[in-house]
Amino acid sequence: MKSEHYTQAERELLMQKVQMQMSQKRFEHVLGVEKTAVALAEKYGASPVKASIAALTHDYAKERSDEEFQLVIRRDGFKLDLLNWNNAIWHGLVGADFVQRELEIDDEEILQAIRLHTTGAAKMSLLDKIIYVADYIEPGRTFPGVVEAREIAMIDLDAAVAYETKHTLLHLIETEAVIYPKTIETYNFWVAKYRRELP
């Protein structure tokens, strides 16, 4: 699929393919992320088409089995350290591989946004930031602080990345979860560094 030629019919077909891979609840989340991502793309000057495609496919592999992820990690040359993690990390980093292979989406900007949508990164493109934030603030989210996160996202996308990163890390610490190294890199850049550079 070429993102520069994206008709309504192609969007409908992509939605059908995505819906077949997940529960109804997950699909409703995906549609919420798409709506939010397109709005953010229009506000901040990114491609609404790429935002739509990346949002629709960001959780494409979320409900695949651990065994399938482990097979792909071993088969396709991923770093074997990934085997020490789980679906929370795999469905982004490895999920982009499923999207490319099964949905024939080869746009690297879209694939990278899928890879980074849960962990973030120190260096993020505009589309990376849009999908990262849209996933966090889509209309179905109801956690404490989401209203503030939405307000920030409509004013300053970088500040929204920092807000999300900080609160995601706080949640991981509170639940005593193991923290993926890239999430800490994201925090160091977008929260610690970003805050130091504010006037």
Side-chain angles (χ1 to χ4, degrees):
M1 177 187 294
K2 302 294 185 190
S3 60
E4 60 268 24
H5 304 295
Y6 186 55
T7 64
Q8 185 61 30
E10 285 175 319
R11 177 179 172 272
E12 293 285 343
L13 181 60
L14 180 60
M15 284 170 58
Q16 288 173 15
K17 289 178 179 177
V18 168
Q19 188 172 17
M20 287 171 60
Q21 295 295 325
M22 60 186 62
S23 64
Q24 184 60 28
K25 183 177 179 183
R26 173 70 44 193
F27 184 62
E28 287 168 6
H29 160 72
V30 162
L31 293 180
V33 175
E34 185 202 22
K35 180 180 177 181
T36 306
V38 169
L40 291 173
E42 289 171 346
K43 177 170 180 60
Y44 291 108
S47 163
V49 167
K50 289 190 180 189
S52 169
I53 295 170
L56 286 174
T57 56
H58 80 283
D59 272 356
Y60 178 73
K62 178 77 174 173
E63 296 180 3
R64 299 295 178 97
S65 69
D66 288 359
E67 291 75 19
E68 193 169 358
F69 277 116
Q70 290 160 357
L71 174 70
V72 171
I73 289 166
R74 289 191 173 98
R75 186 191 68 198
D76 293 352
F78 286 92
K79 291 181 180 176
L80 292 181
D81 174 65
L82 269 175
L83 294 169
N84 298 320
W85 297 89
N86 57 31
N87 182 282
I89 301 302
W90 294 337
H91 84 274
L93 290 177
V94 185
D97 193 77
F98 289 87
V99 169
Q100 184 174 26
R101 189 172 63 250
E102 296 177 11
L103 300 178
E104 299 180 347
I105 293 172
D106 292 315
D107 186 307
E108 183 54 32
E109 192 178 2
I110 291 170
L111 296 172
Q112 186 68 358
I114 295 167
R115 288 184 198 109
L116 298 182
H117 83 267
T118 55
T119 63
K123 291 185 177 178
M124 298 171 76
S125 71
L126 179 57
L127 185 63
D128 294 341
K129 291 186 277 189
I130 284 169
I131 300 303
Y132 184 71
V133 171
D135 185 34
Y136 192 71
I137 65 169
E138 61 93 359
R141 301 290 199 194
T142 57
F143 57 84
V146 71
V147 173
E148 185 180 0
R150 290 182 184 127
E151 290 170 354
I152 293 168
M154 295 312 293
I155 298 167
D156 184 334
L157 190 61
D158 286 357
V161 170
Y163 182 94
E164 173 184 342
T165 301
K166 177 180 176 180
H167 287 83
T168 297
L169 199 59
L170 283 170
H171 173 72
L172 292 170
I173 291 167
E174 285 168 4
T175 57
E176 298 184 351
V178 180
I179 298 170
Y180 192 66
K182 191 174 280 292
T183 302
I184 296 171
E185 286 177 27
T186 306
Y187 171 84
N188 285 342
F189 184 87
W190 290 100
V191 183
K193 179 176 183 292
Y194 181 84
R195 292 298 177 207
R196 282 199 300 273
E197 292 180 353
L198 287 176

